[in-house]
């Protein structure tokens, strides 16, 4: 008994009290919220770290710029679209980098996550359409916005240095055209392009007809299909359609900045080669893979594959009218096969769009198709026609419904309007307006020699009578026209007047 009692006492002394019990984990549970994956970074990157060291530390400016030794970087930072101050600011920055002799190339992209380009701010277009219906003419500040946007498109298309424009997200209408017009355009798996202006009562703008014509040249009728249906292209499909020329990694621009810091003595021609080194092999496109169709989501009925492209080439190629295209789509939609599903989706998109805008869009596409220019044709005639037709269109009723729907994130048909019809007489009106357009672009000066008095005489614009290489009066006018505050007071007064009339 005494031995047993002593054993129990020793056992009690060796056993820890209940309150001091400790549990030790011998393995790792992947579902544990405190689990740390050894293959991932221990500390996450800072929010917005990719765009650190921009000229606006708060990252609130509409256009951000980061300039290292050999490359300039511009980042669009206005998700709702471009207004006149943003257009002017972007133009001035691009021009400054174009004539900067230390910059070998320029990068243009958008802040992410977010869209690459929504085109012109739909609120500005709604304001223009409202005042045009009331006064019978566009206000001066709206005309300045449209004119300057076309000049910005001309600058991007005709840029004299390598301009790498990476479509970093969704881009629509003239915002998509901006990404497609650059001399070194690129896309990646998150890129999206759509030309859906006609769905909202508007017509192509910002060089969109040039991009559409390029797609038509690669696959007959493809550009027309995109413009009339507003269907998207995503990922590698953008490159296969020649709307972008290169397949780039999302990190291509930061890598290029590092490359330009190391390659300080290269010429602009060698800079082209450095850019091509960052272009990746193009993955498969226009296929029926599950991953690709999943990327199109609810719009998979409009996703293209070889069979659907063949149907597009049959129905949309060549000079056609909207009526004939719809007639062929109805015939094709009568079956029960995959092409019938595609034809029904196309027909639904076209019938729910503005018929006036569709007719104008098709007229612009057909006019662009008559040109036989190879390579990179002169963009000025296209920009001139686009501006004239859009100014005519904004004076009608459809843009009021369409821009309001665009601001609310709805479709044109959601506003309860089928749109104005486009008849044969309208075709003549649009053609006359397009030919009577007065858009022009002044020749851009190259690197200024004004800071070097002894070299100034060798400038092509040098005037011996004034000993100047520029017209001071014209230069002052240009400085005013491209100022971010251009027409700001007139626009503010017009909005106040509308608010008084509507009682808001």
């Amino acid at each position: 008994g005494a031995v047993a009692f002593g054993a129990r006492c020793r056992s009690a002394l060796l056993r820890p009290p209940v309150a001091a019990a400790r549990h030790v984990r011998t393995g790792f549970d992947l579902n544990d919220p405190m689990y740390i994956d050894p293959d991932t970074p221990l500390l996450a990157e800072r929010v917005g770290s990719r765009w650190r060291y921009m000229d606006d530390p708060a990252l609130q400016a509409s256009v951000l710029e980061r300039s290292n030794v050999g490359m300039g970087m511009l980042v669009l930072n206005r998700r709702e679209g471009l207004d006149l101050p943003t257009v002017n600011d972007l133009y001035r920055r691009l021009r400054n980098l174009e004539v900067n002799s230390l910059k070998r190339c320029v990068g243009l992209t958008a802040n992410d996550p977010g869209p690459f380009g929504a085109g012109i701010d739909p609120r500005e277009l709604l304001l223009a359409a409202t005042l045009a219906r009331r006064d019978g003419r566009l206000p001066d500040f709206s005309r300045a916005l449209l004119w300057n946007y076309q000049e910005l498109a001309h600058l991007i298309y005709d840029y004299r240095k390598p301009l790498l424009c990476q479509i970093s997200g969704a881009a629509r209408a003239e915002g998509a055209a901006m990404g497609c017009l650059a001399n070194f355009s690129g896309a990646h798996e998150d890129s999206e392009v759509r030309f859906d202006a006609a769905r909202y009562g508007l017509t192509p703008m910002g060089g969109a007809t040039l991009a559409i014509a390029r797609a038509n040249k690669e696959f007959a009728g493809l550009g027309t299909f995109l413009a009339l249906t507003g269907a998207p292209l995503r990922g590698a499909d953008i490159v296969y359609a020649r709307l972008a020329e290169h397949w780039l990694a999302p990190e291509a621009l930061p890598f290029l900045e590092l490359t330009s810091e190391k390659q300080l003595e290269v010429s602009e021609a060698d800079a082209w080669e450095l850019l091509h080194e960052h272009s990746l092999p193009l993955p498969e496109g226009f296929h029926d893979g599950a991953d690709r169709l999943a990327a199109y989501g609810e719009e998979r009925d409009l996703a293209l594959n070889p069979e659907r492209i063949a149907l597009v080439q049959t129905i949309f190629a060549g000079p056609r009218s909207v009526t004939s295209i719809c007639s062929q789509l109805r015939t094709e939609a009568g079956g029960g096969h995959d092409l019938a599903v595609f034809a029904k989706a196309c027909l639904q998109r076209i019938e729910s769009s503005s018929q006036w805008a569709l007719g104008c869009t098709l007229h612009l596409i057909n006019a662009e198709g008559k040109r036989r220019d190879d390579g990179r044709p002169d963009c000025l005639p296209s920009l001139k026609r686009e501006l004239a037709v859009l100014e005519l269109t904004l004076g009608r009723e459809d843009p009021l419904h369409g821009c309001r729907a665009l601001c609310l994130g709805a479709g044109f048909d959601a506003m309860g309007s089928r749109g104005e019809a486009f008849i044969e007489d309208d075709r003549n009106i649009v053609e006359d307006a397009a030919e009577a357009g007065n858009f022009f672009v002044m020749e851009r000066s190259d690197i200024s020699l004004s800071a070097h008095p002894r070299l100034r005489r060798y400038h092509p614009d040098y005037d011996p009578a004034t000993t100047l290489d520029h017209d001071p009066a014209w230069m002052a006018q240009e400085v005013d026209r491209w100022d971010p505050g251009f027409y700001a007071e007139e626009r503010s007064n017009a909005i106040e007047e509308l608010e008084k009339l509507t009682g808001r």
Side-chain angles (χ1 to χ4, degrees):
V3 175
F5 176 75
R8 286 196 300 271
C9 290
R10 286 194 300 270
S11 175
L13 291 173
L14 293 174
R15 186 170 59 247
V18 176
R22 195 158 60 97
H23 301 281
V24 178
R25 174 172 291 174
T26 59
F28 294 98
D29 182 5
L30 299 183
N31 296 321
D32 192 335
M34 298 182 67
Y35 172 73
I36 298 176
D37 188 349
D39 293 332
T40 59
L42 183 60
L43 300 176
E45 291 186 8
R46 293 173 55 187
V47 176
S49 60
R50 179 175 179 180
W51 307 120
R52 281 185 296 173
Y53 311 117
M54 289 288 178
D55 57 349
D56 179 17
L59 302 181
Q60 297 300 312
S62 298
V63 182
L64 304 173
E65 182 174 358
R66 181 169 61 201
S67 183
N68 61 17
V69 178
M71 174 182 175
M73 170 76 78
L74 296 176
V75 179
L76 298 174
N77 192 36
R78 200 170 192 273
R79 299 170 62 94
E80 57 269 31
L82 305 187
D83 55 3
L84 184 56
T86 307
V87 169
N88 287 0
D89 189 20
L90 180 58
Y91 184 94
R92 288 163 64 103
R93 291 174 184 265
L94 282 170
R95 279 292 288 142
N96 289 338
L97 291 171
E98 185 181 37
V99 299
N100 190 329
S101 59
L102 298 179
K103 306 304 176 188
R104 300 294 181 260
C105 59
V106 178
L108 176 61
T109 187
N111 199 350
D112 55 3
F116 168 77
I120 298 177
D121 189 336
R123 294 173 299 183
E124 297 293 330
L125 294 174
L126 179 59
L127 177 61
T130 302
L131 294 176
R133 291 287 292 175
R134 188 193 71 176
D135 303 333
R137 60 181 295 275
L138 283 175
D140 290 339
F141 58 84
S142 296
R143 296 194 74 252
L145 170 61
L146 300 180
W147 185 290
N148 285 14
Y149 195 97
Q150 293 298 79
E151 280 205 51
L152 174 63
H154 183 275
L155 174 64
I156 292 174
Y157 184 84
D158 191 46
Y159 210 65
R160 295 169 182 168
K161 286 183 178 179
L163 176 60
L164 192 156
C165 189
Q166 186 180 44
I167 305 173
S168 55
R172 60 164 300 273
E174 56 272 4
M178 179 187 296
C180 300
L181 294 183
N183 51 37
F184 196 101
S185 55
H188 56 74
E189 58 185 6
D190 295 329
S191 304
E192 175 187 296
V193 165
R194 66 173 76 222
F195 298 98
D196 59 350
R199 283 187 55 76
Y200 300 99
L202 302 169
T203 55
M205 179 72 173
T209 52
L210 286 165
I212 292 168
R214 186 185 300 170
N216 277 338
K217 187 176 180 180
E218 189 69 13
F219 296 99
L222 176 59
T224 306
F225 157 76
L226 295 174
L228 297 188
T229 64
L233 285 182
R234 297 190 173 109
D237 296 348
I238 299 172
V239 184
Y240 279 101
R242 283 198 62 206
L243 294 176
E245 297 291 338
H246 301 272
W247 183 249
L248 301 173
E251 301 81 11
L253 285 174
F255 286 157
L256 272 170
E257 288 186 287
L258 294 176
T259 303
S260 64
E261 289 178 356
K262 304 299 181 182
Q263 303 289 339
L264 302 181
E265 303 299 329
V266 299
S267 64
E268 290 179 9
D270 292 335
W272 273 108
E273 299 302 322
L274 293 176
L275 289 177
H276 283 281
E277 289 180 2
H278 290 269
S279 184
L280 301 176
L282 184 62
E284 185 180 3
F286 290 135
H287 61 86
D288 290 324
D291 292 342
R292 174 178 176 271
L293 293 179
Y296 280 87
E298 296 179 354
E299 295 179 293
R300 64 173 58 200
D301 288 346
L302 292 168
L304 295 172
N305 58 27
E307 292 76 19
R308 292 179 175 182
I309 290 178
L311 181 63
V312 165
Q313 292 176 313
T314 301
I315 295 179
F316 290 89
R320 299 288 180 91
S321 67
V322 177
T323 303
S324 64
I325 290 174
C326 288
S327 176
Q328 287 187 268
L329 286 173
R330 289 190 187 94
T331 302
E332 192 65 37
H337 44 77
D338 174 70
L339 292 181
V341 175
F342 175 70
K344 289 177 183 177
C346 293
L347 189 61
Q348 189 276 330
R349 283 293 188 93
I350 293 176
E351 290 182 342
S352 63
S353 300
S354 163
Q355 300 305 301
W356 165 270
L358 286 174
C360 294
T361 299
L362 198 56
H363 174 81
L364 290 171
I365 294 172
N366 291 337
E368 191 66 32
K370 296 177 182 178
R371 301 176 63 185
R372 293 292 182 264
D373 299 306
D374 296 326
R376 289 178 67 82
D378 180 18
C379 67
L380 197 56
S382 305
L383 297 175
K384 175 183 174 181
R385 284 194 296 267
E386 289 177 353
L387 179 60
V389 173
L390 183 59
E391 287 182 341
L392 174 67
T393 300
L394 285 172
R396 305 183 74 91
E397 185 178 355
D398 280 1
L400 283 174
H401 299 289
C403 292
R404 190 179 296 115
L406 191 56
C407 292
L408 297 175
F412 178 78
D413 53 338
M415 303 305 296
S417 174
R418 277 281 291 117
E420 302 172 77
F422 188 84
I423 59 178
E424 190 62 33
D425 290 342
D426 294 329
R427 193 183 311 277
N428 298 329
I429 294 174
V430 171
E431 185 172 353
D432 292 342
E435 295 303 321
N438 60 351
F439 178 73
F440 66 93
V441 175
M442 297 290 293
E443 181 68 23
R444 301 196 308 275
S445 298
D446 214 327
I447 297 175
S448 176
L449 301 176
S450 299
H452 309 280
R454 293 185 180 275
L455 296 177
R456 186 180 299 164
R457 67 189 65 184
Y458 299 106
H459 196 282
D461 300 329
Y462 177 74
D463 183 0
T466 62
T467 68
L468 297 175
D469 57 5
H470 65 281
D471 181 356
W474 176 83
M475 185 64 70
Q477 179 183 348
E478 287 295 286
V479 169
D480 182 55
R481 186 166 70 94
W482 291 106
D483 187 90
F486 189 50
Y487 276 121
E489 184 177 353
E490 290 83 348
R491 177 182 177 277
S492 178
N493 292 338
I495 293 176
E496 289 181 4
E497 185 180 350
L498 279 178
E499 290 176 344
K500 290 179 181 178
L501 291 174
T502 57
R504 294 182 180 179

